[in-house]
Amino acid sequence: MDTTGKILLLEDDLDLGETILDILEIEGYSVTWVKDGIDASDSSYQESFDLYIFDINVPNFNGLELLEALRDAEDSTPAIFISALVDLESISKAFRIGAEDYIKKPFFPEELLIRIKAKFNNSNKKIIYRDIIYYPKDREIYRGKNRINLSRMQIELFDFFIKNIDKVITKERILETISIKNVSALRVAINKLKQFTDLDIKNIHGVGYRLEKC
């Protein structure tokens, strides 16, 4: 079977790691399995991956710290957390620093596989909004043949809205998901995003925002 994507797996539980590795390799994924945060960090800088799967409580450098450092280094590779931590603070931080998904342990490895397939399937589809074409996998935005260059935070905000077209999104949810500190900064960021992209983002008074349909 041909390889369908490159995955960096950070998991220090040997039995679980071996199980995940076997399932993913059977499906044709190319998997680099590491067992501590430092090795994961080294691997992420040595080569490019299509997806990160990180446990949180691992030796030397935990998964949350690792992803936060990667995002600060402009690494936008999609990430899924698998963790026994079920407190809202950990889950909220995971999404706030840029995680795509969060799976609570224990889980069926097949569930992880389903979510991975969904990520790869979605990432390979371009999204068209009016005269804008968006490639989620590479997080590249085009108007015609011209690429629209945005900051990392603006791209995160664009990605969030474009995947939630016509949905009313509360300010609190946006702040939990995107690396924006407060409502005032969010308002400024949305206004700038609208200037650069002409996204039809409406302010729903007292609630949040909605990206209008095409």
Side-chain angles (χ1 to χ4, degrees):
M1 183 181 295
D2 294 333
T3 299
T4 56
K6 294 176 62 179
I7 297 174
L8 176 60
L9 171 63
L10 170 59
E11 175 56 68
D12 65 334
D13 183 308
L14 298 183
D15 290 336
L16 179 58
E18 188 71 39
T19 299
I20 293 173
L21 178 67
D22 288 345
I23 288 177
L24 295 183
E25 288 187 337
I26 288 172
E27 291 295 321
Y29 296 102
S30 173
V31 183
T32 298
W33 176 25
V34 294
K35 304 170 185 65
D36 69 69
I38 292 178
D39 286 345
S41 178
D42 290 342
S43 295
S44 70
Y45 285 107
Q46 289 168 3
E47 57 183 307
S48 297
F49 294 91
D50 299 304
L51 179 68
Y52 295 139
I53 302 174
F54 292 164
D55 190 2
I56 294 178
N57 283 334
V58 294
N60 298 325
F61 194 26
N62 76 49
L64 291 172
E65 294 170 339
L66 174 60
L67 184 61
E68 191 166 22
L70 291 170
R71 294 295 187 252
D72 288 341
E74 303 291 325
D75 186 334
S76 59
T77 303
I80 298 174
F81 279 110
I82 51 175
S83 177
L85 297 178
V86 296
D87 60 287
L88 289 178
E89 182 178 351
S90 297
I91 296 171
S92 176
K93 181 174 182 180
F95 284 105
R96 188 170 64 249
I97 63 178
E100 298 281 325
D101 207 342
Y102 192 107
I103 302 177
K104 301 173 185 177
K105 294 182 179 179
F107 59 87
F108 291 108
E110 290 79 9
E111 177 190 356
L112 175 61
L113 181 59
I114 290 170
R115 299 201 192 193
I116 290 171
K117 287 182 176 180
K119 299 300 176 190
F120 278 108
N121 288 339
N122 290 336
S123 68
N124 289 330
K125 297 177 181 178
K126 66 182 179 182
I127 299 173
I128 299 176
Y129 180 86
R130 296 182 178 174
D131 61 343
I132 289 177
I133 300 175
Y134 178 51
Y135 297 91
K137 181 177 180 180
D138 299 316
R139 292 203 167 187
E140 293 182 351
I141 308 165
Y142 290 87
R143 178 177 283 116
K145 295 183 179 180
N146 299 317
R147 182 172 177 178
I148 300 174
N149 295 308
L150 302 176
S151 69
R152 177 175 63 85
M153 184 271 291
Q154 288 170 340
I155 290 175
E156 289 179 2
L157 195 58
F158 178 93
D159 183 85
F160 189 71
F161 274 110
I162 208 74
K163 291 178 179 176
N164 290 279
I165 293 175
D166 207 39
K167 296 179 181 178
V168 177
I169 308 170
T170 66
K171 297 173 184 177
E172 291 75 17
R173 185 184 171 197
I174 299 174
L175 292 173
E176 287 176 357
T177 307
I178 310 298
S179 52
I180 300 176
K181 294 181 179 179
N182 54 55
V183 173
S184 297
L186 174 61
R187 186 182 305 113
V188 172
I190 289 176
N191 286 335
K192 287 185 177 180
L193 181 64
K194 290 166 67 175
Q195 291 174 8
F196 291 135
T197 63
D198 293 327
L199 289 184
D200 190 10
I201 301 172
K202 300 296 186 184
N203 182 5
I204 310 302
H205 183 69
V207 181
Y209 296 90
R210 180 177 63 220
L211 174 60
E212 299 290 301
K213 288 182 178 179
C214 298

